[in-house]
Structure formats: C-alpha cells, structure tokens
Amino acid sequence: MNNELFHKQAIDIWKKGASEISPRQLHFELELELYKKLLSFFQVGEYYYYIFNIRDHSLDLISSEVETVLGYHPSEMSLQFLMDKVHPDDRVWFLSFENKVMDFLTALPIEKLMKYKRRYDYRLKKKNGEYIRVLHQTMVIEHDENGRLLRTLGVHTDITHLKPEGKPVLSFIGFDGEPSYINVDVKKVFSISKDFLSKREKQILLLIMEGKLSKEISEILHISKQTVDTHRNNMIERNKVRNTSELITQAIIHGWI
C-alpha cells in the first residue's frame, strides 16, 4: 500500500467520528500540564506525545522527545510524515484498528468518551532506517456537544525490547469502572473482553511501574502493606509469571493496563 492511498484511507476512517466545527484555540502553557498528568497512564519506556486534530487531520503539537525515539526533529514532523514511517506490513493493521476505534467511540455515550484509552502496536521507521515497535495509545481530550471528536492525546512508546516481533493487538482500557476489552478481534465485536487484572490490581501495578515500594503503595491507596503484597502475589500466580518484572512485561504486551 503506497503512502498516498494509506493516508487517504486513514482520513476516510477518521471522518466517521470527526466534528465539523473548529476546535477551540489551545492555551498550551496551561493545558499541557493536564496532558502531562495523563501521561502517568502511558509511561513504560522512552516515549513522545502529540495532540491529533481529528477535524483537520493534523498534529497540533508533538513533543521534543520524538527526536530521542525516532531521530527526527519536531519541526520535521507532520501527520503525513509520521504515517509514511509506518511499516508497509503493518498498514493494514493500522487501518483496521483505527476503523474499529472509530466504531467504538461513535457508539459510546458522550459522558464515556474520555473514560477510555485505546492501545495497539506497530512498527515505525527511524531516521537511521531502522524499525522500532511502538505502543500507540490515545485518549479523547476534546469533543463537541454532540460527541463528535475534535482532539486526542497520543503517546508512542518504544517497546521493541518487550515485543521485538509478533502480531499487533488492539485493546480498549476503561477507567472509572468502565469495562476493558483486551486483544480485540477487529473482525468481530469484542470477542475477547476478559479483564486479566482487577481495578485494584491495575492501581497497584501502575504504582509498581512507577518504582513505588509496597509500603509506599499502601500509604497512597490507604490499604495495608500485607494487602498490597497479597495482590502482587495473586497477579503473579494467576498470570503464570515468575516475578513482578515479567508481570509488567506481560501487562504491557497484552494491553492489560
């Protein structure tokens, strides 16, 4: 699939959920602080973030870390430039996943649009010609009064060391009590929807990933250290891994958090 066709087909998919009104002007100095707080849901390695303007099919912002991850200066980056770097073999996956994402978002009630994170993986070409596998995660950060989409916050994290090869997978991760849909079959309607971790386990695992010790986690969540350790051991045993490091790796690869 050539670059022009790939870009056109992606735009046709995004038009299904895009608003026709113009997004409001962003006050980046203030609002970036909010977006950076959201990054606590995403950080698992070297990453960069961006703001995708769905109506205009453009990038309103891309962070300076893109140079560390991909080798390109932010001034070089545009949506089309970034899409041109998607591995040819992963472009069908990209389009299939984005189509499923649009179907999912347009079916949600307005009040739930900002309660889901979408995540899948694919390969991107670096400036030096090498390909890395990125974990692509997005959240809606602006929509109109009818629930049509205006902007999303996206994060690309280099997970090559965790998943050097394999089939891309799509997951929808729910917040505030919303259900998660893991390893979604893009040809069927959420044929796999099992949550591998409970809400409390996700909280604990995210804090472990931030480097927190059991005692610190117990104080943050207002539970005993013994309860934290019990949850940690249950996650390890139930998911048949040897230790916390393997648990984190599996959670990232399979989209459990």
Coordinates of all heavy atoms in Angstrom, one line a residue, residues 200-201 203-205 207-208 212-219 221-238 242-244 247:
R200 N -8.3 -2.7 41.4 CA -7.3 -2.5 42.4 C -5.9 -3.0 42.0 O -4.9 -2.4 42.2 CB -7.7 -3.2 43.7 CG -6.7 -3.1 44.9 CD -6.5 -1.7 45.3 NE -7.5 -1.3 46.3 CZ -7.7 0.0 46.7 NH1 -7.0 1.0 46.2 NH2 -8.6 0.3 47.6
E201 N -5.9 -4.2 41.3 CA -4.6 -4.7 40.8 C -4.0 -3.8 39.8 O -2.8 -3.6 39.8 CB -4.9 -6.1 40.2 CG -5.1 -7.2 41.3 CD -5.5 -8.5 40.7 OE1 -5.9 -8.5 39.5 OE2 -5.4 -9.5 41.4
Q203 N -4.3 -0.5 39.7 CA -3.8 0.6 40.5 C -2.4 0.2 41.1 O -1.5 1.0 41.0 CB -4.8 1.0 41.6 CG -6.1 1.6 41.2 CD -7.0 1.8 42.3 OE1 -7.1 1.1 43.3 NE2 -7.8 2.9 42.2
I204 N -2.4 -0.9 41.7 CA -1.1 -1.4 42.3 C 0.0 -1.6 41.3 O 1.1 -1.1 41.5 CB -1.4 -2.7 43.1 CG1 -2.2 -2.4 44.3 CG2 0.0 -3.3 43.6 CD1 -2.7 -3.6 45.1
L205 N -0.3 -2.2 40.2 CA 0.7 -2.5 39.2 C 1.2 -1.2 38.5 O 2.4 -1.0 38.3 CB 0.1 -3.4 38.1 CG 1.2 -3.9 37.1 CD1 2.3 -4.6 37.8 CD2 0.5 -4.8 36.0
L207 N 1.5 1.7 40.1 CA 2.4 2.3 41.0 C 3.7 1.5 41.1 O 4.7 2.1 41.3 CB 1.7 2.3 42.4 CG 0.5 3.3 42.5 CD1 -0.3 3.1 43.8 CD2 1.0 4.7 42.5
I208 N 3.6 0.2 41.0 CA 4.9 -0.6 40.9 C 5.7 -0.1 39.7 O 6.9 0.0 39.9 CB 4.5 -2.1 40.8 CG1 3.9 -2.6 42.1 CG2 5.8 -2.9 40.5 CD1 3.4 -4.0 42.1
K212 N 7.3 2.5 42.9 CA 6.9 2.6 44.3 C 7.1 1.2 45.0 O 6.8 0.2 44.4 CB 5.4 3.0 44.4 CG 5.1 4.4 43.8 CD 5.7 5.5 44.7 CE 5.1 6.9 44.3 NZ 5.5 7.2 42.9
L213 N 7.5 1.3 46.3 CA 7.6 0.1 47.1 C 6.2 -0.3 47.7 O 5.3 0.6 47.8 CB 8.6 0.3 48.2 CG 10.0 0.6 47.7 CD1 10.9 0.9 48.9 CD2 10.6 -0.5 46.9
S214 N 6.1 -1.5 48.2 CA 4.8 -1.9 48.8 C 4.3 -1.0 49.9 O 3.1 -0.6 50.0 CB 4.9 -3.3 49.3 OG 5.0 -4.3 48.3
K215 N 5.2 -0.5 50.8 CA 4.9 0.4 51.9 C 4.3 1.7 51.3 O 3.3 2.2 51.8 CB 6.0 0.6 52.8 CG 5.7 1.4 54.0 CD 6.9 1.5 55.0 CE 6.6 2.2 56.3 NZ 6.0 3.6 56.1
E216 N 5.0 2.2 50.3 CA 4.5 3.5 49.7 C 3.2 3.3 49.0 O 2.3 4.2 49.1 CB 5.6 3.9 48.7 CG 6.9 4.3 49.2 CD 7.9 4.6 48.1 OE1 8.2 3.7 47.3 OE2 8.4 5.8 48.1
I217 N 3.0 2.2 48.4 CA 1.7 1.9 47.7 C 0.6 1.8 48.7 O -0.5 2.3 48.6 CB 1.8 0.6 46.9 CG1 2.8 0.8 45.7 CG2 0.4 0.2 46.3 CD1 3.1 -0.5 44.9
S218 N 0.9 1.2 49.9 CA -0.1 1.0 50.9 C -0.6 2.4 51.4 O -1.8 2.6 51.7 CB 0.4 0.1 52.0 OG 1.4 0.8 52.8
E219 N 0.4 3.3 51.6 CA 0.0 4.6 52.1 C -0.8 5.4 51.0 O -1.7 6.2 51.4 CB 1.3 5.4 52.4 CG 2.1 4.8 53.6 CD 3.5 5.4 53.8 OE1 3.9 6.2 52.9 OE2 4.1 5.1 54.8
L221 N -2.7 4.2 48.6 CA -4.1 3.6 48.4 C -4.9 3.4 49.7 O -6.0 2.9 49.7 CB -3.9 2.3 47.7 CG -3.3 2.3 46.3 CD1 -3.3 0.9 45.7 CD2 -4.1 3.3 45.4
H222 N -4.2 3.7 50.9 CA -4.8 3.6 52.2 C -5.3 2.1 52.5 O -6.4 1.9 52.9 CB -6.0 4.5 52.3 CG -5.7 5.9 52.0 ND1 -4.9 6.7 52.8 CD2 -6.1 6.7 51.0 CE1 -4.8 7.9 52.3 NE2 -5.5 8.0 51.2
I223 N -4.4 1.2 52.1 CA -4.6 -0.2 52.5 C -3.3 -0.7 53.1 O -2.3 0.0 53.1 CB -4.9 -1.0 51.2 CG1 -3.7 -0.9 50.2 CG2 -6.2 -0.7 50.6 CD1 -3.9 -1.7 48.9
S224 N -3.3 -1.9 53.7 CA -2.2 -2.4 54.4 C -1.1 -2.9 53.5 O -1.4 -3.2 52.3 CB -2.6 -3.5 55.4 OG -2.9 -4.7 54.6
K225 N 0.1 -2.9 53.9 CA 1.2 -3.4 53.1 C 1.0 -4.9 52.8 O 1.3 -5.4 51.7 CB 2.6 -3.3 53.9 CG 3.8 -3.9 53.1 CD 5.0 -3.7 53.9 CE 6.2 -4.3 53.2 NZ 6.1 -5.8 53.0
Q226 N 0.4 -5.6 53.8 CA 0.1 -7.1 53.5 C -0.9 -7.2 52.4 O -0.7 -8.1 51.6 CB -0.5 -7.7 54.8 CG -0.7 -9.2 54.7 CD -1.3 -9.8 55.9 OE1 -1.4 -9.1 57.0 NE2 -1.6 -11.0 55.9
T227 N -1.9 -6.3 52.3 CA -2.9 -6.4 51.2 C -2.2 -6.1 49.9 O -2.5 -6.8 48.9 CB -4.0 -5.4 51.4 OG1 -4.6 -5.7 52.7 CG2 -5.0 -5.4 50.3
V228 N -1.3 -5.2 49.8 CA -0.5 -4.9 48.6 C 0.3 -6.1 48.2 O 0.2 -6.5 47.0 CB 0.4 -3.7 48.8 CG1 1.3 -3.5 47.5 CG2 -0.3 -2.4 49.1
D229 N 1.0 -6.7 49.1 CA 1.8 -7.9 48.8 C 0.9 -9.1 48.3 O 1.3 -9.8 47.4 CB 2.6 -8.3 50.0 CG 3.7 -7.3 50.3 OD1 4.2 -6.7 49.3 OD2 4.2 -7.3 51.4
T230 N -0.3 -9.2 48.9 CA -1.2 -10.3 48.5 C -1.7 -10.1 47.1 O -1.7 -11.0 46.3 CB -2.4 -10.3 49.5 OG1 -2.0 -10.6 50.8 CG2 -3.4 -11.4 49.0
H231 N -2.0 -8.8 46.8 CA -2.4 -8.5 45.4 C -1.3 -8.8 44.4 O -1.5 -9.4 43.3 CB -2.9 -7.1 45.3 CG -4.3 -6.8 45.7 ND1 -5.4 -7.4 45.2 CD2 -4.7 -6.0 46.7 CE1 -6.5 -7.0 45.7 NE2 -6.1 -6.1 46.7
R232 N -0.1 -8.4 44.8 CA 1.1 -8.6 43.9 C 1.3 -10.1 43.7 O 1.5 -10.5 42.5 CB 2.3 -8.0 44.6 CG 3.6 -8.1 43.7 CD 4.8 -7.9 44.5 NE 4.9 -6.5 45.1 CZ 5.7 -5.6 44.7 NH1 6.5 -5.8 43.7 NH2 5.7 -4.4 45.4
N233 N 1.2 -10.9 44.7 CA 1.5 -12.4 44.6 C 0.3 -13.0 43.8 O 0.6 -13.9 43.0 CB 1.6 -13.0 46.0 CG 2.8 -12.6 46.7 OD1 3.8 -12.2 46.1 ND2 2.8 -12.6 48.0
N234 N -0.9 -12.5 44.0 CA -2.0 -13.1 43.3 C -1.9 -12.8 41.8 O -2.2 -13.7 40.9 CB -3.3 -12.5 43.8 CG -3.8 -13.1 45.1 OD1 -3.2 -14.1 45.6 ND2 -4.7 -12.4 45.8
M235 N -1.4 -11.6 41.4 CA -1.3 -11.3 40.0 C -0.2 -12.2 39.4 O -0.3 -12.7 38.2 CB -0.9 -9.8 39.8 CG -2.0 -8.9 40.1 SD -1.6 -7.1 39.6 CE -0.6 -6.7 41.1
I236 N 0.9 -12.4 40.1 CA 2.0 -13.2 39.6 C 1.6 -14.7 39.4 O 1.8 -15.3 38.4 CB 3.2 -13.1 40.6 CG1 3.8 -11.7 40.5 CG2 4.2 -14.2 40.2 CD1 4.9 -11.5 41.5
E237 N 0.9 -15.2 40.4 CA 0.4 -16.6 40.4 C -0.6 -16.8 39.3 O -0.5 -17.8 38.5 CB -0.1 -17.0 41.7 CG -0.5 -18.5 41.8 CD -1.0 -18.9 43.2 OE1 -0.8 -18.1 44.1 OE2 -1.6 -20.0 43.3
R238 N -1.6 -16.0 39.2 CA -2.8 -16.1 38.3 C -2.3 -16.0 36.8 O -2.9 -16.7 36.0 CB -3.9 -15.1 38.6 CG -5.1 -15.4 37.8 CD -6.3 -14.5 38.3 NE -6.1 -13.1 38.0 CZ -5.8 -12.2 38.9 NH1 -5.7 -12.5 40.2 NH2 -5.6 -10.9 38.5
R242 N 6.9 -15.4 36.7 CA 7.9 -15.7 37.8 C 8.0 -14.6 38.7 O 8.3 -14.8 39.9 CB 9.2 -16.1 37.2 CG 9.2 -17.5 36.5 CD 10.5 -17.8 35.8 NE 10.9 -16.8 34.8 CZ 12.0 -16.9 34.1 NH1 12.9 -17.8 34.3 NH2 12.2 -16.0 33.1
N243 N 7.9 -13.3 38.3 CA 8.2 -12.2 39.2 C 7.4 -11.0 38.7 O 6.7 -11.0 37.6 CB 9.7 -11.9 39.3 CG 10.3 -11.9 37.9 OD1 9.8 -11.2 37.0 ND2 11.4 -12.6 37.7
T244 N 7.6 -9.9 39.4 CA 6.9 -8.6 39.0 C 7.4 -8.1 37.7 O 6.6 -7.5 36.9 CB 7.1 -7.6 40.1 OG1 6.7 -8.1 41.4 CG2 6.3 -6.3 39.8
L247 N 5.5 -9.8 35.1 CA 4.1 -9.4 35.1 C 4.0 -8.1 34.4 O 3.0 -7.9 33.6 CB 3.7 -9.2 36.6 CG 2.3 -8.7 36.8 CD1 1.2 -9.8 36.3 CD2 2.0 -8.5 38.2

